[in-house]
Amino acid sequence: MHDHRRLGRELELFHADPLSGAGLPVWLPAGAAARHAVEEYVRELERRAGYQHVYSPPLGKRELFELSGHLGYFAADMFPVLRLSADDEFVLRPALCPHHALVYRARGRSYRELPLRIAELGGMYRPERSGVLGGLSRVRAISLNDAHNFCAPEQVGAEVVEVLDLIRAAHAALGVRPAGFRLSLRGPGGKYVGDDEEWQRAEDLLRAALVGLPYVEAPGEAAFYGPKIDIQVRDVAGRESTLSTIQLDFDKPARFDLCYTDARGRRARPVMVHRSLVGSMERLFAYLIEVHAGAFPAWYAPVQVQVLPVGPEQVAAAEAFRRDCVLAGLRAELVVDGSLGARVRAAAQRRVPYAAVLGAREVSAGQVALRLRDGRSVEPMSAPDALRLVTGIVLGRSAELLP
């Protein structure tokens, strides 16, 4: 009943069209509005935590991904090279870390700048097999909430703990219910870079950050450049997947010759911490649609208030209240067609948190009657009070519809 693909169609959140291509869903206005609200929240959460946001291109020169190790260790999960000429080849990026390494080395760095936290909500591309694609949960064009934190070695442990705290805050606001923590470790075989000492050091740092948290170890699930903490979620069918992640990387700073000047004026090598607070927007919303059954918390509901005049005589007052909602920063719309009962039911079916009803009595008293999508009604109150109630819930990012 709560499959995100069915709900995505019914609530007009996203659309899969053969002309777009398998694994390349189109976000419709309602889904885009919800996604935009979440993106704004995550960027602000990161900004307050000292992150600097950048934009980088979705493709790069072949040499960039040879240097990063992706073409040597990750080529099976990349789209084919785009050849413009014999000496001009490009790659759709499978990850953002190579470009963020270029951000770091755009100029010299001092130890006083570290940790340097570079964040981006950027696109990356992976040629997933058609048989595993489905809705938003497995796609070929990925919009990743990504960041790369460049630290002095002695800062890594505290940085990982701080990232875990940010992940908890984001999950609480969004209504994410983690299914567990996984420490993804190196396995047998030659698909990993770096030496044993670096790997052991990285694994020990992540184990220390997980002290007091229940987790399982997963040999063979590490990235090719380092171990990671994966925070898992389950969909309605009970399938587990990774949503948030923290990864340690000693390899790319060496490959890109990243350095900083330490307190003694010597050249030193930073450690790169890859982290995503909420994963990709696609997988995140596949999960959120299901866990909330499409009834998102009011702060990122596509339409937050639907204004319903009882009759034609109340349309002007209803439109004025709608404008007040919009000016207050809410997503509101006016609906006049059909009986009041049908419009109230339609608002609830669309999972709109608040229906604001204005009849003759409410208009004459300067009031609004709020009806909630869960069937509850609120006694008529003044229009300013109703507006304060809804904006308070939205600005507080509450999971409830009433204080």
Side-chain angles (χ1 to χ4, degrees), residues 266-287:
R266 299 174 303 187
R267 194 171 185 268
R269 184 83 69 203
V271 179
M272 193 177 191
V273 179
H274 306 238
R275 53 103 286 198
S276 181
L277 302 184
V278 295
S280 73
M281 289 298 107
E282 292 78 15
R283 182 171 290 182
L284 173 65
F285 269 90
Y287 172 82

Side-chain angles (χ1 to χ4, degrees), residues 29-257:
R35 172 175 161 174
H36 184 71
V38 170
E39 289 177 356
E40 281 189 327
Y41 162 71
V42 172
R43 284 196 185 97
E44 181 62 12
L45 182 67
E46 291 172 336
R47 188 191 67 79
R48 290 173 180 268
Y51 286 80
Q52 300 176 64
H53 291 91
V54 300
Y55 291 107
S56 58
L59 73 170
K61 294 278 285 186
R62 178 189 184 116
E63 291 84 354
L64 174 64
F65 298 97
E66 288 175 339
L67 180 60
S68 70
H70 284 89
L71 279 171
Y73 291 87
F74 202 71
D77 294 298
M78 297 171 62
F79 277 97
V81 173
L82 306 171
R83 177 170 293 181
L84 301 185
S85 66
D87 58 353
D88 204 14
E89 297 180 323
F90 290 84
V91 176
L92 278 170
R93 66 180 175 192
L96 279 70
C97 45
H99 282 104
H100 288 189
L102 299 184
V103 171
Y104 182 94
R105 75 176 200 176
R107 63 169 175 81
R109 302 289 178 180
S110 163
Y111 73 95
R112 293 185 179 89
E113 297 179 72
L114 306 184
L116 179 67
R117 301 171 178 132
I118 302 299
E120 181 176 5
L121 204 157
M124 62 186 202
Y125 307 87
R126 298 182 180 180
E128 301 282 3
R129 301 186 313 277
S130 59
V132 302
L133 298 171
L136 296 176
S137 57
R138 202 71 177 264
V139 294
R140 287 170 169 163
I142 303 161
S143 303
L144 187 67
N145 157 239
D146 204 9
H148 296 90
N149 302 2
F150 300 89
C151 312
E154 64 273 14
Q155 296 172 326
V156 172
E159 191 70 5
V160 171
V161 170
E162 187 168 332
V163 171
L164 282 170
D165 287 342
L166 280 178
I167 289 172
R168 289 189 193 97
H171 286 185
L174 292 164
V176 173
R177 305 163 193 164
F181 294 82
R182 185 175 73 182
L183 180 57
S184 296
L185 305 171
R186 183 173 55 163
K191 64 176 183 176
Y192 304 100
V193 299
D195 59 39
D196 292 344
E197 183 179 342
E198 285 181 344
W199 275 87
Q200 189 61 54
R201 182 182 174 193
E203 290 173 2
D204 289 345
L205 283 167
L206 293 183
R207 282 194 182 92
L210 287 169
V211 167
L213 295 173
Y215 70 93
V216 297
E217 296 194 356
E221 294 298 320
F224 72 86
Y225 48 76
K228 53 182 178 161
I229 295 171
D230 291 325
I231 300 177
Q232 306 296 102
V233 293
R234 287 194 187 91
D235 65 12
V236 290
R239 295 177 296 241
E240 195 172 286
S241 61
T242 299
L243 187 67
S244 309
T245 186
I246 308 171
Q247 307 170 7
L248 295 192
D249 187 350
F250 293 88
D251 178 65
K252 282 184 194 59
R255 286 178 177 267
F256 284 86
D257 194 26

Side-chain angles (χ1 to χ4, degrees), residues 210-395:
L210 287 169
V211 167
L213 295 173
Y215 70 93
V216 297
E217 296 194 356
E221 294 298 320
F224 72 86
Y225 48 76
K228 53 182 178 161
I229 295 171
D230 291 325
I231 300 177
Q232 306 296 102
V233 293
R234 287 194 187 91
D235 65 12
V236 290
R239 295 177 296 241
E240 195 172 286
S241 61
T242 299
L243 187 67
S244 309
T245 186
I246 308 171
Q247 307 170 7
L248 295 192
D249 187 350
F250 293 88
D251 178 65
K252 282 184 194 59
R255 286 178 177 267
F256 284 86
D257 194 26
L258 305 183
C259 62
Y260 63 93
T261 303
D262 69 14
R264 296 185 178 183
R266 299 174 303 187
R267 194 171 185 268
R269 184 83 69 203
V271 179
M272 193 177 191
V273 179
H274 306 238
R275 53 103 286 198
S276 181
L277 302 184
V278 295
S280 73
M281 289 298 107
E282 292 78 15
R283 182 171 290 182
L284 173 65
F285 269 90
Y287 172 82
L288 292 177
I289 291 167
E290 293 186 353
V291 77
H292 294 301
F296 299 135
W299 68 269
Y300 63 93
V303 174
Q304 294 162 322
V305 182
Q306 202 169 81
V307 186
L308 311 178
V310 172
E313 299 80 5
Q314 291 83 46
V315 170
E319 171 58 18
F321 183 70
R322 185 201 67 81
R323 286 198 305 270
D324 289 342
C325 289
V326 172
L327 290 173
L330 299 174
R331 293 180 291 280
E333 62 182 25
L334 176 69
V335 181
V336 298
D337 292 333
S339 70
L340 177 63
R343 284 179 283 155
V344 169
R345 288 191 297 274
Q349 289 168 355
R350 288 182 59 195
R351 311 320 196 252
V352 177
Y354 303 97
V357 178
L358 288 87
R361 183 183 305 173
E362 285 81 18
V363 171
S364 65
Q367 293 181 325
V368 170
L370 292 178
R371 300 192 184 186
L372 312 186
R373 66 185 170 201
D374 60 13
R376 291 179 290 169
S377 297
V378 180
E379 286 295 317
M381 63 180 74
S382 72
D385 284 346
L387 193 55
R388 276 191 290 271
L389 185 154
V390 176
T391 54
I393 293 293
V394 169
L395 292 175

